[in-house]
Amino acid sequence: MTGESSKAPVAEVQELSLEAKESQGQNVTPWDVEGAVVDGKAQPINYSDLIENFGTREVDAKLLERFEKLTGQRPHKLLRRGVVFSHRDFGKLLDRYEQKKPFYLYTGRGPSSGNMHIGHMLPLTFCKWLQDVFDVPLVIQLTDDEKFLFKPKLTLDQVYEYSEKAVRELAALGFKPDKTFIFSNMDYMGGAFYRNILAVSRSITFNAAKATFGFNMSDPIGRIHFPSIQIAPAMCSSFPQIFGNRKDIPCLIPCAIDQDPYFRLARDVMERLKHKKPSLLHSKFLPALQGSTTKMSASLDSTAIYMNDTPAQIKNKINRYAFSGGQTSLEEHRIHGGNPDVDVPYQYLTYFLDDDEEIEALAEGYRKGEVSTSEMKARCIKVLQEFIGQVQERAKVVSDQLIKDLRDPDYPRKFAAIEKK
């Protein structure tokens, strides 16, 4: 490979092609993510527009300074680099932390295939870091029911099997059962959780759900009801084994920005249901290998790097499919330089490489033509091989007992801050 740009063969990314569309706005929902199309050309996701349209707030320097002052921790690389870029009431959450009032973390995983890809890992590794910094409980919802409802080709047995596999991958990230409860909706449905689902479902009209998610009259009723199920874990009383009878403990939800519609609805109904509104931290999407007009998808193998990929597969995918911001030849690249802002290997490095100085040097060198496309890809390949390899090795030693404990709602999870009023 030289400094030339690379684009995946058309046949490999046929489902991603937008060339037939002359113009459309960007579409970001929990199930579809597409950049705008202008004059037949797909555009990157415009995150500033999402902040404005969703009514969220930017994660700015002042907020990060306060976080560091209160916690004594340097902000995570995803915060420092603007990958986690938007929030709802994170400042109020920091108020609770400063006042030593309890809160918890809530995130989720929708298992639509047998293995996670690296895009799934980002909010989960970030969530693990937040849990370590704040020392708070975490609940992880496995939305196997959602995948059954929204992926017509999947069977109930398949989605449940995928959720079983997901627990092992989550355990490999270091989550411990004394602080973490991982539950499948298909297993945990009932009791306090189901009572809250019912309360939420009666509080949201079809018109509100339709306006938020774009449902139509031909959608299965399970899809229309599902938002109630994803909202309910944001109510602490859904987990009486952890929080007892309390209803006054809010949660912080780290998630990709496409999940925000669920929690806009949640925030509308929480006070009516005598619970605290959740706070949110939103991340950008890890782009597909073909570029930043859409996110990485588990259903399209050529767009994704999976957590069970071998080093050779990782190398092949980056070299063959990863969109480059370089020039058409190494000679031109040395003269004109490249654009790291659209270069997928560089973008992946901003998500996974810890060293800020190296990130800046790679970007500057690429713009000047001093760093070639092949060199950028080689660095990306090495970083991803190391990250995925480490998780794979840890997954090998995850015991069946650890998985059982993480999924046990009655495993003892005691936090002094929660037990005090």
Side-chain angles (χ1 to χ4, degrees):
M1 295 291 292
T2 65
E4 64 189 20
S5 68
S6 62
K7 298 178 177 64
V10 173
E12 297 285 354
V13 291
Q14 194 169 18
E15 294 185 54
L16 297 178
S17 176
L18 298 173
E19 292 178 1
K21 302 174 183 177
E22 291 186 0
S23 181
Q24 70 170 30
Q26 67 181 5
N27 179 39
V28 175
T29 75
W31 310 288
D32 295 295
V33 174
E34 289 183 341
V37 178
V38 178
D39 296 329
K41 185 177 179 181
Q43 305 295 312
I45 302 298
N46 188 321
Y47 291 100
S48 296
D49 280 358
L50 289 180
I51 287 177
E52 182 177 351
N53 294 336
F54 285 8
T56 66
R57 300 187 67 180
E58 181 184 4
V59 174
D60 57 19
K62 184 176 180 181
L63 189 64
L64 295 183
E65 288 171 7
R66 185 177 181 219
F67 170 88
E68 186 167 1
K69 181 179 179 181
L70 288 176
T71 65
Q73 295 287 330
R74 187 187 186 202
H76 191 277
K77 61 178 177 289
L78 298 183
L79 286 165
R80 299 195 306 269
R81 296 172 189 169
V83 175
V84 176
F85 72 105
S86 164
H87 74 99
R88 291 187 187 274
D89 284 349
F90 187 55
K92 291 183 179 179
L93 195 285
L94 291 177
D95 291 343
R96 289 189 70 88
Y97 181 76
E98 185 174 25
Q99 297 160 7
K100 296 181 168 42
K101 292 181 179 180
F103 61 93
Y104 66 104
L105 294 167
Y106 161 35
T107 193
R109 163 81 179 100
S112 61
S113 65
N115 290 93
M116 288 193 265
H117 59 59
I118 57 173
H120 297 136
M121 282 292 174
L122 287 169
L124 295 167
T125 54
F126 179 58
C127 203
K128 178 65 172 66
W129 180 83
L130 287 171
Q131 185 184 41
D132 292 341
V133 169
F134 289 129
D135 189 26
V136 292
L138 162 67
V139 296
I140 302 178
Q141 181 185 48
L142 300 176
T143 56
D144 36 21
D145 50 350
E146 179 206 21
K147 293 308 175 185
F148 174 73
L149 291 167
F150 286 89
K151 300 279 187 181
K153 293 182 179 180
L154 293 178
T155 67
L156 281 171
D157 288 342
Q158 282 178 311
V159 295
Y160 190 74
E161 178 186 353
Y162 295 159
S163 71
E164 296 265 297
K165 290 182 178 179
V167 181
R168 184 172 296 276
E169 290 181 308
L170 290 167
L173 296 178
F175 294 113
K176 303 300 182 185
D178 60 331
K179 294 183 181 180
T180 308
F181 174 43
I182 303 174
F183 64 98
S184 152
N185 284 341
M186 290 167 64
D187 283 340
Y188 193 57
M189 191 63 64
F193 181 46
Y194 187 56
R195 288 196 293 273
N196 280 339
I197 290 170
L198 289 175
V200 172
S201 66
R202 196 169 73 173
S203 301
I204 299 172
T205 66
F206 173 71
N207 282 339
K210 180 181 177 182
T212 302
F213 298 104
F215 294 133
N216 58 59
M217 300 305 290
S218 64
D219 280 315
I221 58 174
R223 293 184 183 182
I224 298 163
H225 177 253
F226 177 76
S228 304
I229 301 173
Q230 186 153 325
I231 289 170
M235 305 167 74
C236 65
S237 61
S238 292
F239 308 100
Q241 306 92 336
I242 303 174
F243 304 110
N245 295 323
R246 294 185 66 168
K247 296 184 178 181
D248 62 337
I249 301 175
C251 65
L252 170 62
I253 306 172
C255 62
I257 188 68
D258 61 338
Q259 299 299 302
D260 183 74
Y262 287 112
F263 304 112
R264 290 205 301 272
L265 282 180
R267 289 167 57 84
D268 286 343
V269 302
M270 281 299 167
E271 291 183 347
R272 203 184 323 159
L273 299 175
K274 298 181 171 32
H275 282 73
K276 297 287 188 180
K277 291 182 178 181
S279 300
L280 288 92
L281 283 170
H282 304 114
S283 63
K284 297 178 180 178
F285 307 113
L286 186 73
L289 284 163
Q290 289 74 21
S292 57
T293 60
T294 189
K295 67 176 182 177
M296 189 172 284
S297 171
S299 60
L300 289 173
D301 182 72
S302 63
T303 73
I305 305 290
Y306 293 93
M307 294 307 298
N308 67 333
D309 279 348
T310 66
Q313 288 173 318
I314 295 166
K315 181 178 180 180
N316 178 63
K317 286 182 177 181
I318 294 295
N319 281 333
R320 183 177 180 186
Y321 298 120
F323 185 88
S324 167
Q327 301 297 328
T328 55
S329 70
L330 180 58
E331 182 180 9
E332 289 187 6
H333 186 82
R334 294 299 189 202
I335 296 171
H336 302 292
N339 182 1
D341 296 333
V342 300
D343 187 85
V344 167
Y346 175 77
Q347 294 303 312
Y348 288 179
L349 287 169
T350 65
Y351 287 78
F352 289 96
L353 181 60
D354 287 327
D355 190 332
D356 288 345
E357 290 185 2
E358 183 178 357
I359 285 291
E360 292 174 7
L362 285 168
E364 183 178 0
Y366 202 62
R367 291 189 181 98
K368 292 179 177 179
E370 297 169 355
V371 175
S372 69
T373 289
S374 59
E375 290 169 331
M376 189 72 81
K377 286 188 173 185
R379 187 68 181 111
C380 176
I381 289 166
K382 187 174 188 296
V383 168
L384 292 182
Q385 287 173 336
E386 289 176 352
F387 172 76
I388 292 171
Q390 290 169 1
V391 176
Q392 288 174 348
E393 288 302 309
R394 290 197 296 265
K396 291 177 182 177
V397 298
V398 170
S399 67
D400 291 341
Q401 185 61 50
L402 175 57
I403 291 174
K404 180 180 178 181
D405 291 343
L406 285 165
R407 302 186 70 171
D408 183 357
D410 297 315
Y411 190 92
R413 300 176 174 94
K414 300 295 182 182
F415 284 80
I418 291 173
E419 294 170 356
K420 296 177 182 178
K421 272 287 188 181

